[in-house]
Amino acid sequence: MKLNVIILAAGQGTRMRSDIPKVLHTLGGRPLLQHVIETAQQLTPETINVVYGHGADQVLAKFSGWPVQWVEQAEQLGTGHAVQQVSLSDGDGIVLILYGDVPLLKKQTLQRLLETAESERLALLTVKLANPTGYGRIVRDDQGQVQRIVEEKDASDAEKTITEVNTGIMALPSFYLKQWLNRLENNNAQGEFYLTDVIAMAVTDGILVETVLAENEFEVQGINNKRQLAELERAYQRSQAEILMDQGVTLRDPSRFDLRGEVDVGRDVEIDVNVVMEGRVKLGNRVKIGPNVLIRNAAVDDDVEILAHSIIDDAQIGPGSRIGPFARLRPGTRLAGGTHIGNFVEIKKSIVGEGSKINHLSYVGDSEVGGGVNIGAGTITCNYDGVNKFKTVIEDGAFIGSDTQLVAPVRVGRSATIGAGSTITRDAPEGKLTLSRSKQITVDNWQRPKKLDQER
Ligand code: UD1
Ligand code: CA
């Protein structure tokens, strides 16, 4: 049967206490609404309709180009009113109602819901909560058949003791939904058009209401404040950590691991505490990551070791390399195999060849470094004259003495040696020693100044 999805996302989210529309707050690095749209897409519906209202400009800007239909609800007069804004196509088919602030709902749960819904049957996702306060309660008759949903504010004391609550998520026949929407009224405690009133209408019209029970609370939990946002973030990270452990990754502490994107892992990967990964990350076999490391959009080959406190941003690292501690690889860094990048070394937009070592306190930017190169401590490629950037080329086997400045554009030839403390402004020929250094002198009769007598 044809499926159309409606995502309600017009609410303000006052309790977030934020200028950012609620559905744009992120969980696992992605806006809440994105989670919901992506889950909906997996069901391959005919259309995904997003009802938006508060923060319209920001929401539309963030999702421009996404294959969804935007439906404005200028004034938020209730969940039923929100659904009324969508022009439903004629004929049969199923409409699935989702919420932009319920991000962790699983595809499998929705599939169960869709299997239950039919042209003469409504499927409602419910959950049992120890503390149901605030939610709409599911009212059943003596035979256990659902009769209606009563909102907290309209509920009697007896109804308030019901622990089965409405998640708001439902799949229902489009043909009937259209009729029921026309019949909604707002004569209730909140003066709103409640979508939940369609349940009682279905019962009246002889349409069976079946419930599907959600497996866990997190899945159907909406986010209304920053505490709930943090709670769901942890639940999400925990489930991602479990997936990785199931794939064989050793996580020293799954509660101190954050993945805000996707990671592809090889065998026997070890990840220490407080590692954050963002974007798309690929880790080869036997990769070891030390504590407090940030890795974003990177490909890390087999047997690489990334030591504590390193930042890897948009970089590729060849097999068997050792990075850090305290190394920073910036966008455009491509390291071949067996490289050693040590502490307080920053590399940007540079290629480094096989087995080269840059072990201490250096900056290498806009450079092409060959294989077997040794760059001494404190070497700087001066790539920027304040206006333009220039390239440094260091050919295979070169040795750069400590505290050297290579003023680009400049080339250091094959197997050339640069004497420590040099400022190199012209190309250094291959195989030779090049240095620029003022002569060392010794002053024979020099005496250290004496401490002046302070008391007079
Ligand atoms: C709703 C349900 C309640 C259920 C609960 C689950 C109704 C009447 N009640 O209550 O039974 O237990 O969700 O969380 O449906 N929204 C719009 N436009 C509107 C109003 C709401 O887009 O005019 C969106 C909100 O942005 C939000 C969602 O719909 O994402 C739910 O609205 P909210 O007002 O929070 O409903 P609840 O009172 O929580
Ligand atoms: Ca709510």
Side-chain angles (χ1 to χ4, degrees), residues 80 84 119-122 170-185 194-195 197-209:
Q84 280 172 347
S119 54
E120 303 285 323
R121 192 154 69 188
L122 186 156
M170 59 181 98
L172 62 177
S174 179
F175 175 79
Y176 288 102
L177 174 60
K178 278 176 104 166
Q179 299 180 12
W180 298 331
L181 288 174
N182 286 330
R183 278 154 56 188
L184 289 182
E185 286 175 44
Y194 292 165
L195 179 64
D197 285 350
V198 304
I199 302 300
M201 293 178 190
V203 173
T204 307
D205 288 356
I207 301 300
L208 197 64
V209 176

PDB file of all heavy atoms in Angstrom, residues 80 84 119-122 170-185 194-195 197-209:
ATOM      1  N   GLY A  80      -3.601  17.984  15.749  1.00  0.00           N
ATOM      2  CA  GLY A  80      -4.601  17.715  14.706  1.00  0.00           C
ATOM      3  C   GLY A  80      -4.585  18.816  13.665  1.00  0.00           C
ATOM      4  O   GLY A  80      -4.612  18.562  12.453  1.00  0.00           O
ATOM      5  N   GLN A  84      -3.839  18.755   9.613  1.00  0.00           N
ATOM      6  CA  GLN A  84      -4.817  19.361   8.687  1.00  0.00           C
ATOM      7  C   GLN A  84      -4.134  20.208   7.605  1.00  0.00           C
ATOM      8  O   GLN A  84      -4.681  20.400   6.528  1.00  0.00           O
ATOM      9  CB  GLN A  84      -5.807  20.247   9.453  1.00  0.00           C
ATOM     10  CG  GLN A  84      -6.927  19.483  10.146  1.00  0.00           C
ATOM     11  CD  GLN A  84      -7.765  20.384  11.052  1.00  0.00           C
ATOM     12  OE1 GLN A  84      -7.376  21.513  11.357  1.00  0.00           O
ATOM     13  NE2 GLN A  84      -8.916  19.872  11.492  1.00  0.00           N
ATOM     14  N   SER A 119      -6.322  -0.756   5.316  1.00  0.00           N
ATOM     15  CA  SER A 119      -7.307   0.228   4.866  1.00  0.00           C
ATOM     16  C   SER A 119      -8.472   0.360   5.848  1.00  0.00           C
ATOM     17  O   SER A 119      -9.147   1.369   5.890  1.00  0.00           O
ATOM     18  CB  SER A 119      -7.817  -0.124   3.469  1.00  0.00           C
ATOM     19  OG  SER A 119      -8.288  -1.452   3.478  1.00  0.00           O
ATOM     20  N   GLU A 120      -8.693  -0.670   6.652  1.00  0.00           N
ATOM     21  CA  GLU A 120      -9.770  -0.600   7.661  1.00  0.00           C
ATOM     22  C   GLU A 120      -9.205  -0.757   9.076  1.00  0.00           C
ATOM     23  O   GLU A 120      -9.904  -1.199   9.979  1.00  0.00           O
ATOM     24  CB  GLU A 120     -10.817  -1.708   7.410  1.00  0.00           C
ATOM     25  CG  GLU A 120     -11.452  -1.684   6.030  1.00  0.00           C
ATOM     26  CD  GLU A 120     -12.495  -0.561   5.858  1.00  0.00           C
ATOM     27  OE1 GLU A 120     -13.232  -0.274   6.815  1.00  0.00           O
ATOM     28  OE2 GLU A 120     -12.548   0.035   4.758  1.00  0.00           O
ATOM     29  N   ARG A 121      -7.931  -0.470   9.251  1.00  0.00           N
ATOM     30  CA  ARG A 121      -7.334  -0.666  10.571  1.00  0.00           C
ATOM     31  C   ARG A 121      -6.277   0.397  10.878  1.00  0.00           C
ATOM     32  O   ARG A 121      -5.428   0.699  10.033  1.00  0.00           O
ATOM     33  CB  ARG A 121      -6.705  -2.063  10.647  1.00  0.00           C
ATOM     34  CG  ARG A 121      -6.318  -2.443  12.049  1.00  0.00           C
ATOM     35  CD  ARG A 121      -6.300  -3.949  12.218  1.00  0.00           C
ATOM     36  NE  ARG A 121      -5.212  -4.545  11.457  1.00  0.00           N
ATOM     37  CZ  ARG A 121      -5.057  -5.866  11.306  1.00  0.00           C
ATOM     38  NH1 ARG A 121      -5.919  -6.708  11.824  1.00  0.00           N
ATOM     39  NH2 ARG A 121      -4.051  -6.337  10.620  1.00  0.00           N
ATOM     40  N   LEU A 122      -6.360   0.928  12.080  1.00  0.00           N
ATOM     41  CA  LEU A 122      -5.429   1.963  12.523  1.00  0.00           C
ATOM     42  C   LEU A 122      -4.414   1.346  13.489  1.00  0.00           C
ATOM     43  O   LEU A 122      -4.801   0.568  14.365  1.00  0.00           O
ATOM     44  CB  LEU A 122      -6.233   3.062  13.231  1.00  0.00           C
ATOM     45  CG  LEU A 122      -5.551   4.351  13.682  1.00  0.00           C
ATOM     46  CD1 LEU A 122      -6.582   5.477  13.780  1.00  0.00           C
ATOM     47  CD2 LEU A 122      -4.825   4.194  15.002  1.00  0.00           C
ATOM     48  N   MET A 170       1.518   7.068  14.823  1.00  0.00           N
ATOM     49  CA  MET A 170       0.466   6.156  14.353  1.00  0.00           C
ATOM     50  C   MET A 170       0.484   6.021  12.837  1.00  0.00           C
ATOM     51  O   MET A 170       0.995   6.882  12.122  1.00  0.00           O
ATOM     52  CB  MET A 170      -0.909   6.635  14.835  1.00  0.00           C
ATOM     53  CG  MET A 170      -1.306   8.011  14.381  1.00  0.00           C
ATOM     54  SD  MET A 170      -2.946   8.495  15.036  1.00  0.00           S
ATOM     55  CE  MET A 170      -2.500   9.479  16.465  1.00  0.00           C
ATOM     56  N   ALA A 171      -0.064   4.895  12.387  1.00  0.00           N
ATOM     57  CA  ALA A 171      -0.216   4.653  10.947  1.00  0.00           C
ATOM     58  C   ALA A 171      -1.699   4.435  10.713  1.00  0.00           C
ATOM     59  O   ALA A 171      -2.315   3.606  11.382  1.00  0.00           O
ATOM     60  CB  ALA A 171       0.579   3.418  10.536  1.00  0.00           C
ATOM     61  N   LEU A 172      -2.271   5.223   9.802  1.00  0.00           N
ATOM     62  CA  LEU A 172      -3.720   5.136   9.649  1.00  0.00           C
ATOM     63  C   LEU A 172      -4.150   5.301   8.203  1.00  0.00           C
ATOM     64  O   LEU A 172      -3.426   5.894   7.400  1.00  0.00           O
ATOM     65  CB  LEU A 172      -4.427   6.126  10.577  1.00  0.00           C
ATOM     66  CG  LEU A 172      -4.228   7.634  10.479  1.00  0.00           C
ATOM     67  CD1 LEU A 172      -5.116   8.338  11.489  1.00  0.00           C
ATOM     68  CD2 LEU A 172      -2.799   8.042  10.721  1.00  0.00           C
ATOM     69  N   PRO A 173      -5.333   4.733   7.859  1.00  0.00           N
ATOM     70  CA  PRO A 173      -5.782   4.818   6.475  1.00  0.00           C
ATOM     71  C   PRO A 173      -6.075   6.255   6.078  1.00  0.00           C
ATOM     72  O   PRO A 173      -6.831   6.965   6.747  1.00  0.00           O
ATOM     73  CB  PRO A 173      -7.046   3.951   6.444  1.00  0.00           C
ATOM     74  CG  PRO A 173      -7.412   3.670   7.858  1.00  0.00           C
ATOM     75  CD  PRO A 173      -6.223   3.901   8.698  1.00  0.00           C
ATOM     76  N   SER A 174      -5.463   6.656   4.993  1.00  0.00           N
ATOM     77  CA  SER A 174      -5.555   8.016   4.476  1.00  0.00           C
ATOM     78  C   SER A 174      -7.016   8.436   4.237  1.00  0.00           C
ATOM     79  O   SER A 174      -7.427   9.542   4.595  1.00  0.00           O
ATOM     80  CB  SER A 174      -4.769   8.055   3.161  1.00  0.00           C
ATOM     81  OG  SER A 174      -4.822   9.300   2.593  1.00  0.00           O
ATOM     82  N   PHE A 175      -7.787   7.511   3.662  1.00  0.00           N
ATOM     83  CA  PHE A 175      -9.194   7.764   3.321  1.00  0.00           C
ATOM     84  C   PHE A 175      -9.988   8.233   4.543  1.00  0.00           C
ATOM     85  O   PHE A 175     -10.719   9.213   4.492  1.00  0.00           O
ATOM     86  CB  PHE A 175      -9.785   6.467   2.741  1.00  0.00           C
ATOM     87  CG  PHE A 175     -11.251   6.546   2.450  1.00  0.00           C
ATOM     88  CD1 PHE A 175     -11.726   7.175   1.306  1.00  0.00           C
ATOM     89  CD2 PHE A 175     -12.176   5.984   3.341  1.00  0.00           C
ATOM     90  CE1 PHE A 175     -13.085   7.235   1.032  1.00  0.00           C
ATOM     91  CE2 PHE A 175     -13.538   6.050   3.077  1.00  0.00           C
ATOM     92  CZ  PHE A 175     -13.990   6.679   1.926  1.00  0.00           C
ATOM     93  N   TYR A 176      -9.804   7.523   5.662  1.00  0.00           N
ATOM     94  CA  TYR A 176     -10.533   7.881   6.885  1.00  0.00           C
ATOM     95  C   TYR A 176      -9.935   9.103   7.583  1.00  0.00           C
ATOM     96  O   TYR A 176     -10.648   9.950   8.099  1.00  0.00           O
ATOM     97  CB  TYR A 176     -10.569   6.697   7.858  1.00  0.00           C
ATOM     98  CG  TYR A 176     -11.501   5.600   7.389  1.00  0.00           C
ATOM     99  CD1 TYR A 176     -11.007   4.446   6.790  1.00  0.00           C
ATOM    100  CD2 TYR A 176     -12.890   5.746   7.515  1.00  0.00           C
ATOM    101  CE1 TYR A 176     -11.863   3.443   6.340  1.00  0.00           C
ATOM    102  CE2 TYR A 176     -13.748   4.754   7.072  1.00  0.00           C
ATOM    103  CZ  TYR A 176     -13.231   3.604   6.481  1.00  0.00           C
ATOM    104  OH  TYR A 176     -14.089   2.641   6.044  1.00  0.00           O
ATOM    105  N   LEU A 177      -8.607   9.172   7.572  1.00  0.00           N
ATOM    106  CA  LEU A 177      -7.950  10.305   8.240  1.00  0.00           C
ATOM    107  C   LEU A 177      -8.516  11.633   7.722  1.00  0.00           C
ATOM    108  O   LEU A 177      -8.818  12.548   8.495  1.00  0.00           O
ATOM    109  CB  LEU A 177      -6.425  10.249   8.018  1.00  0.00           C
ATOM    110  CG  LEU A 177      -5.634  11.451   8.544  1.00  0.00           C
ATOM    111  CD1 LEU A 177      -5.811  11.628  10.053  1.00  0.00           C
ATOM    112  CD2 LEU A 177      -4.151  11.333   8.200  1.00  0.00           C
ATOM    113  N   LYS A 178      -8.696  11.714   6.380  1.00  0.00           N
ATOM    114  CA  LYS A 178      -9.221  12.950   5.782  1.00  0.00           C
ATOM    115  C   LYS A 178     -10.578  13.329   6.364  1.00  0.00           C
ATOM    116  O   LYS A 178     -10.826  14.488   6.696  1.00  0.00           O
ATOM    117  CB  LYS A 178      -9.354  12.785   4.271  1.00  0.00           C
ATOM    118  CG  LYS A 178      -8.048  12.997   3.539  1.00  0.00           C
ATOM    119  CD  LYS A 178      -8.198  12.741   2.066  1.00  0.00           C
ATOM    120  CE  LYS A 178      -8.244  14.029   1.281  1.00  0.00           C
ATOM    121  NZ  LYS A 178      -8.066  13.785  -0.154  1.00  0.00           N
ATOM    122  N   GLN A 179     -11.415  12.318   6.511  1.00  0.00           N
ATOM    123  CA  GLN A 179     -12.749  12.578   7.072  1.00  0.00           C
ATOM    124  C   GLN A 179     -12.657  13.003   8.534  1.00  0.00           C
ATOM    125  O   GLN A 179     -13.329  13.942   8.960  1.00  0.00           O
ATOM    126  CB  GLN A 179     -13.620  11.323   6.976  1.00  0.00           C
ATOM    127  CG  GLN A 179     -13.838  10.861   5.562  1.00  0.00           C
ATOM    128  CD  GLN A 179     -14.701   9.603   5.519  1.00  0.00           C
ATOM    129  OE1 GLN A 179     -15.301   9.213   6.521  1.00  0.00           O
ATOM    130  NE2 GLN A 179     -14.764   8.972   4.364  1.00  0.00           N
ATOM    131  N   TRP A 180     -11.833  12.285   9.291  1.00  0.00           N
ATOM    132  CA  TRP A 180     -11.733  12.575  10.720  1.00  0.00           C
ATOM    133  C   TRP A 180     -11.166  13.969  10.982  1.00  0.00           C
ATOM    134  O   TRP A 180     -11.595  14.657  11.892  1.00  0.00           O
ATOM    135  CB  TRP A 180     -10.867  11.514  11.430  1.00  0.00           C
ATOM    136  CG  TRP A 180     -11.450  10.126  11.337  1.00  0.00           C
ATOM    137  CD1 TRP A 180     -12.772   9.794  11.237  1.00  0.00           C
ATOM    138  CD2 TRP A 180     -10.719   8.889  11.338  1.00  0.00           C
ATOM    139  NE1 TRP A 180     -12.919   8.430  11.180  1.00  0.00           N
ATOM    140  CE2 TRP A 180     -11.681   7.842  11.245  1.00  0.00           C
ATOM    141  CE3 TRP A 180      -9.371   8.547  11.419  1.00  0.00           C
ATOM    142  CZ2 TRP A 180     -11.321   6.497  11.220  1.00  0.00           C
ATOM    143  CZ3 TRP A 180      -9.010   7.212  11.405  1.00  0.00           C
ATOM    144  CH2 TRP A 180      -9.980   6.193  11.300  1.00  0.00           C
ATOM    145  N   LEU A 181     -10.197  14.364  10.159  1.00  0.00           N
ATOM    146  CA  LEU A 181      -9.599  15.695  10.342  1.00  0.00           C
ATOM    147  C   LEU A 181     -10.663  16.790  10.223  1.00  0.00           C
ATOM    148  O   LEU A 181     -10.617  17.799  10.923  1.00  0.00           O
ATOM    149  CB  LEU A 181      -8.473  15.931   9.323  1.00  0.00           C
ATOM    150  CG  LEU A 181      -7.174  15.135   9.548  1.00  0.00           C
ATOM    151  CD1 LEU A 181      -6.215  15.370   8.395  1.00  0.00           C
ATOM    152  CD2 LEU A 181      -6.520  15.504  10.882  1.00  0.00           C
ATOM    153  N   ASN A 182     -11.633  16.557   9.321  1.00  0.00           N
ATOM    154  CA  ASN A 182     -12.708  17.540   9.134  1.00  0.00           C
ATOM    155  C   ASN A 182     -13.623  17.635  10.350  1.00  0.00           C
ATOM    156  O   ASN A 182     -14.323  18.618  10.527  1.00  0.00           O
ATOM    157  CB  ASN A 182     -13.555  17.174   7.908  1.00  0.00           C
ATOM    158  CG  ASN A 182     -12.810  17.464   6.621  1.00  0.00           C
ATOM    159  OD1 ASN A 182     -11.982  18.379   6.576  1.00  0.00           O
ATOM    160  ND2 ASN A 182     -13.074  16.674   5.579  1.00  0.00           N
ATOM    161  N   ARG A 183     -13.622  16.566  11.136  1.00  0.00           N
ATOM    162  CA  ARG A 183     -14.543  16.521  12.276  1.00  0.00           C
ATOM    163  C   ARG A 183     -13.886  16.954  13.596  1.00  0.00           C
ATOM    164  O   ARG A 183     -14.552  16.963  14.636  1.00  0.00           O
ATOM    165  CB  ARG A 183     -15.096  15.091  12.423  1.00  0.00           C
ATOM    166  CG  ARG A 183     -16.268  14.832  11.463  1.00  0.00           C
ATOM    167  CD  ARG A 183     -16.435  13.363  11.106  1.00  0.00           C
ATOM    168  NE  ARG A 183     -16.596  12.454  12.224  1.00  0.00           N
ATOM    169  CZ  ARG A 183     -16.592  11.114  12.106  1.00  0.00           C
ATOM    170  NH1 ARG A 183     -16.453  10.552  10.907  1.00  0.00           N
ATOM    171  NH2 ARG A 183     -16.742  10.358  13.162  1.00  0.00           N
ATOM    172  N   LEU A 184     -12.593  17.275  13.590  1.00  0.00           N
ATOM    173  CA  LEU A 184     -11.918  17.636  14.848  1.00  0.00           C
ATOM    174  C   LEU A 184     -12.489  18.924  15.441  1.00  0.00           C
ATOM    175  O   LEU A 184     -12.821  19.860  14.711  1.00  0.00           O
ATOM    176  CB  LEU A 184     -10.407  17.837  14.627  1.00  0.00           C
ATOM    177  CG  LEU A 184      -9.553  16.602  14.349  1.00  0.00           C
ATOM    178  CD1 LEU A 184      -8.094  17.022  14.212  1.00  0.00           C
ATOM    179  CD2 LEU A 184      -9.708  15.565  15.457  1.00  0.00           C
ATOM    180  N   GLU A 185     -12.591  18.936  16.753  1.00  0.00           N
ATOM    181  CA  GLU A 185     -13.011  20.151  17.459  1.00  0.00           C
ATOM    182  C   GLU A 185     -12.011  20.459  18.555  1.00  0.00           C
ATOM    183  O   GLU A 185     -11.232  19.601  18.952  1.00  0.00           O
ATOM    184  CB  GLU A 185     -14.405  19.943  18.063  1.00  0.00           C
ATOM    185  CG  GLU A 185     -15.507  19.969  17.000  1.00  0.00           C
ATOM    186  CD  GLU A 185     -16.866  19.651  17.586  1.00  0.00           C
ATOM    187  OE1 GLU A 185     -17.166  20.195  18.671  1.00  0.00           O
ATOM    188  OE2 GLU A 185     -17.597  18.852  16.973  1.00  0.00           O
ATOM    189  N   TYR A 194      -6.800  18.289  18.778  1.00  0.00           N
ATOM    190  CA  TYR A 194      -5.973  17.125  19.114  1.00  0.00           C
ATOM    191  C   TYR A 194      -6.041  16.079  18.006  1.00  0.00           C
ATOM    192  O   TYR A 194      -7.131  15.623  17.650  1.00  0.00           O
ATOM    193  CB  TYR A 194      -6.509  16.432  20.379  1.00  0.00           C
ATOM    194  CG  TYR A 194      -6.384  17.169  21.692  1.00  0.00           C
ATOM    195  CD1 TYR A 194      -7.142  16.720  22.790  1.00  0.00           C
ATOM    196  CD2 TYR A 194      -5.524  18.235  21.875  1.00  0.00           C
ATOM    197  CE1 TYR A 194      -7.050  17.340  24.028  1.00  0.00           C
ATOM    198  CE2 TYR A 194      -5.427  18.867  23.124  1.00  0.00           C
ATOM    199  CZ  TYR A 194      -6.190  18.415  24.189  1.00  0.00           C
ATOM    200  OH  TYR A 194      -6.099  19.015  25.413  1.00  0.00           O
ATOM    201  N   LEU A 195      -4.895  15.644  17.532  1.00  0.00           N
ATOM    202  CA  LEU A 195      -4.876  14.527  16.587  1.00  0.00           C
ATOM    203  C   LEU A 195      -5.407  13.263  17.269  1.00  0.00           C
ATOM    204  O   LEU A 195      -6.033  12.406  16.627  1.00  0.00           O
ATOM    205  CB  LEU A 195      -3.442  14.286  16.083  1.00  0.00           C
ATOM    206  CG  LEU A 195      -3.290  13.119  15.112  1.00  0.00           C
ATOM    207  CD1 LEU A 195      -4.066  13.360  13.823  1.00  0.00           C
ATOM    208  CD2 LEU A 195      -1.826  12.861  14.799  1.00  0.00           C
ATOM    209  N   ASP A 197      -7.828  12.727  18.996  1.00  0.00           N
ATOM    210  CA  ASP A 197      -9.284  12.526  18.947  1.00  0.00           C
ATOM    211  C   ASP A 197      -9.709  11.602  17.800  1.00  0.00           C
ATOM    212  O   ASP A 197     -10.836  11.092  17.799  1.00  0.00           O
ATOM    213  CB  ASP A 197     -10.014  13.876  18.812  1.00  0.00           C
ATOM    214  CG  ASP A 197     -10.012  14.649  20.139  1.00  0.00           C
ATOM    215  OD1 ASP A 197      -9.618  14.058  21.167  1.00  0.00           O
ATOM    216  OD2 ASP A 197     -10.381  15.844  20.133  1.00  0.00           O
ATOM    217  N   VAL A 198      -8.815  11.376  16.825  1.00  0.00           N
ATOM    218  CA  VAL A 198      -9.202  10.487  15.711  1.00  0.00           C
ATOM    219  C   VAL A 198      -9.367   9.044  16.197  1.00  0.00           C
ATOM    220  O   VAL A 198     -10.059   8.253  15.560  1.00  0.00           O
ATOM    221  CB  VAL A 198      -8.206  10.521  14.511  1.00  0.00           C
ATOM    222  CG1 VAL A 198      -8.034  11.938  13.987  1.00  0.00           C
ATOM    223  CG2 VAL A 198      -6.883   9.872  14.856  1.00  0.00           C
ATOM    224  N   ILE A 199      -8.772   8.714  17.335  1.00  0.00           N
ATOM    225  CA  ILE A 199      -8.891   7.338  17.845  1.00  0.00           C
ATOM    226  C   ILE A 199     -10.356   7.028  18.180  1.00  0.00           C
ATOM    227  O   ILE A 199     -10.903   6.010  17.731  1.00  0.00           O
ATOM    228  CB  ILE A 199      -7.989   7.130  19.088  1.00  0.00           C
ATOM    229  CG1 ILE A 199      -6.510   7.427  18.738  1.00  0.00           C
ATOM    230  CG2 ILE A 199      -8.147   5.716  19.645  1.00  0.00           C
ATOM    231  CD1 ILE A 199      -5.921   6.569  17.651  1.00  0.00           C
ATOM    232  N   ALA A 200     -10.980   7.939  18.936  1.00  0.00           N
ATOM    233  CA  ALA A 200     -12.390   7.723  19.286  1.00  0.00           C
ATOM    234  C   ALA A 200     -13.261   7.721  18.023  1.00  0.00           C
ATOM    235  O   ALA A 200     -14.221   6.955  17.924  1.00  0.00           O
ATOM    236  CB  ALA A 200     -12.850   8.809  20.256  1.00  0.00           C
ATOM    237  N   MET A 201     -12.933   8.541  17.040  1.00  0.00           N
ATOM    238  CA  MET A 201     -13.695   8.570  15.778  1.00  0.00           C
ATOM    239  C   MET A 201     -13.568   7.249  15.046  1.00  0.00           C
ATOM    240  O   MET A 201     -14.534   6.747  14.460  1.00  0.00           O
ATOM    241  CB  MET A 201     -13.206   9.717  14.883  1.00  0.00           C
ATOM    242  CG  MET A 201     -13.505  11.093  15.451  1.00  0.00           C
ATOM    243  SD  MET A 201     -12.839  12.370  14.361  1.00  0.00           S
ATOM    244  CE  MET A 201     -13.060  13.811  15.400  1.00  0.00           C
ATOM    245  N   ALA A 202     -12.362   6.690  15.056  1.00  0.00           N
ATOM    246  CA  ALA A 202     -12.160   5.390  14.408  1.00  0.00           C
ATOM    247  C   ALA A 202     -13.048   4.339  15.052  1.00  0.00           C
ATOM    248  O   ALA A 202     -13.711   3.549  14.358  1.00  0.00           O
ATOM    249  CB  ALA A 202     -10.684   4.979  14.517  1.00  0.00           C
ATOM    250  N   VAL A 203     -13.101   4.357  16.388  1.00  0.00           N
ATOM    251  CA  VAL A 203     -13.932   3.394  17.118  1.00  0.00           C
ATOM    252  C   VAL A 203     -15.403   3.561  16.702  1.00  0.00           C
ATOM    253  O   VAL A 203     -16.078   2.588  16.377  1.00  0.00           O
ATOM    254  CB  VAL A 203     -13.757   3.552  18.643  1.00  0.00           C
ATOM    255  CG1 VAL A 203     -14.730   2.677  19.410  1.00  0.00           C
ATOM    256  CG2 VAL A 203     -12.309   3.216  19.039  1.00  0.00           C
ATOM    257  N   THR A 204     -15.850   4.803  16.646  1.00  0.00           N
ATOM    258  CA  THR A 204     -17.230   5.088  16.224  1.00  0.00           C
ATOM    259  C   THR A 204     -17.500   4.582  14.814  1.00  0.00           C
ATOM    260  O   THR A 204     -18.565   4.045  14.526  1.00  0.00           O
ATOM    261  CB  THR A 204     -17.491   6.621  16.267  1.00  0.00           C
ATOM    262  OG1 THR A 204     -17.130   7.093  17.556  1.00  0.00           O
ATOM    263  CG2 THR A 204     -18.948   6.948  15.979  1.00  0.00           C
ATOM    264  N   ASP A 205     -16.528   4.770  13.914  1.00  0.00           N
ATOM    265  CA  ASP A 205     -16.710   4.367  12.514  1.00  0.00           C
ATOM    266  C   ASP A 205     -16.438   2.882  12.281  1.00  0.00           C
ATOM    267  O   ASP A 205     -16.403   2.420  11.133  1.00  0.00           O
ATOM    268  CB  ASP A 205     -15.786   5.191  11.600  1.00  0.00           C
ATOM    269  CG  ASP A 205     -16.265   6.636  11.486  1.00  0.00           C
ATOM    270  OD1 ASP A 205     -17.332   6.955  12.045  1.00  0.00           O
ATOM    271  OD2 ASP A 205     -15.560   7.439  10.851  1.00  0.00           O
ATOM    272  N   GLY A 206     -16.194   2.142  13.364  1.00  0.00           N
ATOM    273  CA  GLY A 206     -15.969   0.708  13.217  1.00  0.00           C
ATOM    274  C   GLY A 206     -14.614   0.339  12.638  1.00  0.00           C
ATOM    275  O   GLY A 206     -14.424  -0.740  12.088  1.00  0.00           O
ATOM    276  N   ILE A 207     -13.670   1.255  12.740  1.00  0.00           N
ATOM    277  CA  ILE A 207     -12.298   0.963  12.293  1.00  0.00           C
ATOM    278  C   ILE A 207     -11.523   0.444  13.504  1.00  0.00           C
ATOM    279  O   ILE A 207     -11.473   1.102  14.548  1.00  0.00           O
ATOM    280  CB  ILE A 207     -11.610   2.238  11.747  1.00  0.00           C
ATOM    281  CG1 ILE A 207     -12.395   2.831  10.576  1.00  0.00           C
ATOM    282  CG2 ILE A 207     -10.166   1.957  11.352  1.00  0.00           C
ATOM    283  CD1 ILE A 207     -12.554   1.909   9.391  1.00  0.00           C
ATOM    284  N   LEU A 208     -10.938  -0.723  13.354  1.00  0.00           N
ATOM    285  CA  LEU A 208     -10.227  -1.343  14.466  1.00  0.00           C
ATOM    286  C   LEU A 208      -8.963  -0.545  14.825  1.00  0.00           C
ATOM    287  O   LEU A 208      -8.214  -0.135  13.944  1.00  0.00           O
ATOM    288  CB  LEU A 208      -9.847  -2.773  14.062  1.00  0.00           C
ATOM    289  CG  LEU A 208      -9.470  -3.706  15.197  1.00  0.00           C
ATOM    290  CD1 LEU A 208     -10.674  -3.929  16.123  1.00  0.00           C
ATOM    291  CD2 LEU A 208      -8.978  -5.031  14.624  1.00  0.00           C
ATOM    292  N   VAL A 209      -8.785  -0.320  16.102  1.00  0.00           N
ATOM    293  CA  VAL A 209      -7.560   0.342  16.563  1.00  0.00           C
ATOM    294  C   VAL A 209      -6.673  -0.701  17.231  1.00  0.00           C
ATOM    295  O   VAL A 209      -7.053  -1.295  18.235  1.00  0.00           O
ATOM    296  CB  VAL A 209      -7.868   1.474  17.566  1.00  0.00           C
ATOM    297  CG1 VAL A 209      -6.579   2.087  18.097  1.00  0.00           C
ATOM    298  CG2 VAL A 209      -8.748   2.533  16.923  1.00  0.00           C
TER     299      VAL A 209
END
